[in-house]
Amino acid sequence: MNNLFYLNLKPEQFKRRFGVQIQTFKEMVKSIEQYRLANPKDKRVRRTTLTLEEQVLVALEYWREYRTYFHIGTNWRVSESTGCRIVTNIESTLMKSGKLRIPGKKALLKGFGHPEVVVMDVTETAIERPKKQKKYFSGKKKYHSLKMQVVINQETKEIICLHFGPGHCHDLNLFKNSQVHFHPETDSLKDSGYQGIKKISF
């Protein structure tokens, strides 16, 4: 598949399609290229007909839509196993490059430069029916899901940290499990799902 069609989309269309700005996509490709040049002996994915840009688009498509590898494979004309290897390799390489990591929860406790106000919420993503169905069944959404807690700096709109849990987990319990602590001078904006959060010692 020719990726020029996707790269010629308008910026807002590209963001809507793949979930990131096209500048971020280009930075991801650049980071992987630089890492591979600096680490030629690092294990790579098997040979594939897809270019590096296309491989990154495959990974973005999987993260954005959580489609099965069968559907992604038929879209990009690769096998399910190849699609899985591509996503895994792109993800691990980006992590190893260290250039696209989020600050992490330790950034919330900085003595200087800590965010004044953070926005915190939980989102749910539908998943295929797992073996442990009860643990992942969301009573609110009425389907099996994964929950993700997001903490964002209100001023810069930067994602500070993430935490994941099964769909059955309550938002407040997810927060407790994340072990996120705020600086005493940091205010947080949150919805009713976090009622009782003031009782938690920061």
Side-chain angles (χ1 to χ4, degrees):
M1 178 179 291
N2 193 331
N3 63 36
L4 290 178
F5 169 76
Y6 292 123
L7 299 183
N8 288 331
L9 290 174
K10 295 180 179 178
E12 61 272 16
Q13 293 176 325
F14 188 92
K15 172 69 181 297
R16 184 179 178 186
R17 177 68 175 79
F18 294 103
V20 300
Q21 300 287 355
I22 193 165
Q23 294 87 349
T24 303
F25 162 75
K26 292 179 179 179
E27 183 62 30
M28 294 170 74
V29 173
K30 182 179 178 181
S31 296
I32 294 174
E33 288 176 335
Q34 292 177 341
Y35 177 82
R36 288 181 174 177
L37 285 174
N39 302 273
K41 294 184 179 180
D42 194 13
K43 185 178 180 181
R44 301 183 188 178
V45 72
R46 297 179 190 175
R47 284 184 176 275
T48 174
T49 57
L50 301 184
T51 64
L52 177 57
E53 289 82 0
E54 289 172 331
Q55 292 177 49
V56 175
L57 291 176
V58 168
L60 288 173
E61 185 174 281
Y62 176 76
W63 298 332
R64 173 67 166 169
E65 303 176 7
Y66 200 71
R67 298 167 68 197
T68 65
Y69 289 120
F70 171 76
H71 288 92
I72 292 176
T74 53
N75 187 40
W76 291 92
R77 299 178 183 176
V78 296
S79 66
E80 290 182 66
S81 58
T82 298
C84 180
R85 286 196 300 269
I86 288 173
V87 173
T88 301
N89 180 262
I90 293 298
E91 187 174 62
S92 62
T93 305
L94 286 173
M95 290 291 290
K96 292 175 183 177
S97 72
K99 294 185 177 181
L100 294 169
R101 287 179 177 270
I102 58 179
K105 57 186 178 184
K106 290 183 179 179
L108 294 166
L109 293 173
K110 286 183 178 179
F112 175 77
H114 63 271
E116 294 183 3
V117 181
V118 296
V119 180
M120 183 167 55
D121 202 359
V122 171
T123 182
E124 292 189 55
T125 301
I127 62 174
E128 295 181 46
R129 187 171 60 185
K131 292 182 178 180
K132 297 181 179 180
Q133 297 183 35
K134 185 177 180 180
K135 181 179 180 181
Y136 290 90
F137 186 78
S138 171
K140 179 180 179 181
K141 297 295 184 179
K142 305 302 181 184
Y143 53 64
H144 298 92
S145 68
L146 281 176
K147 280 191 171 183
M148 179 178 69
Q149 175 181 274
V150 186
V151 180
I152 300 174
N153 186 324
Q154 186 188 42
E155 181 180 358
T156 64
K157 305 301 186 292
E158 178 186 29
I159 296 176
I160 300 174
C161 60
L162 304 171
H163 185 72
F164 299 87
H168 186 68
C169 184
H170 189 276
D171 291 1
L172 184 58
N173 290 330
L174 187 65
F175 173 79
K176 292 178 180 178
N177 295 336
S178 70
Q179 297 183 346
V180 166
H181 300 283
F182 299 110
H183 190 279
E185 298 178 0
T186 297
D187 293 326
S188 60
L189 302 178
K190 48 200 176 293
D191 60 21
S192 58
Y194 289 96
Q195 287 183 358
I197 197 173
K198 292 182 179 180
K199 299 179 181 178
I200 302 174
S201 175
F202 295 149

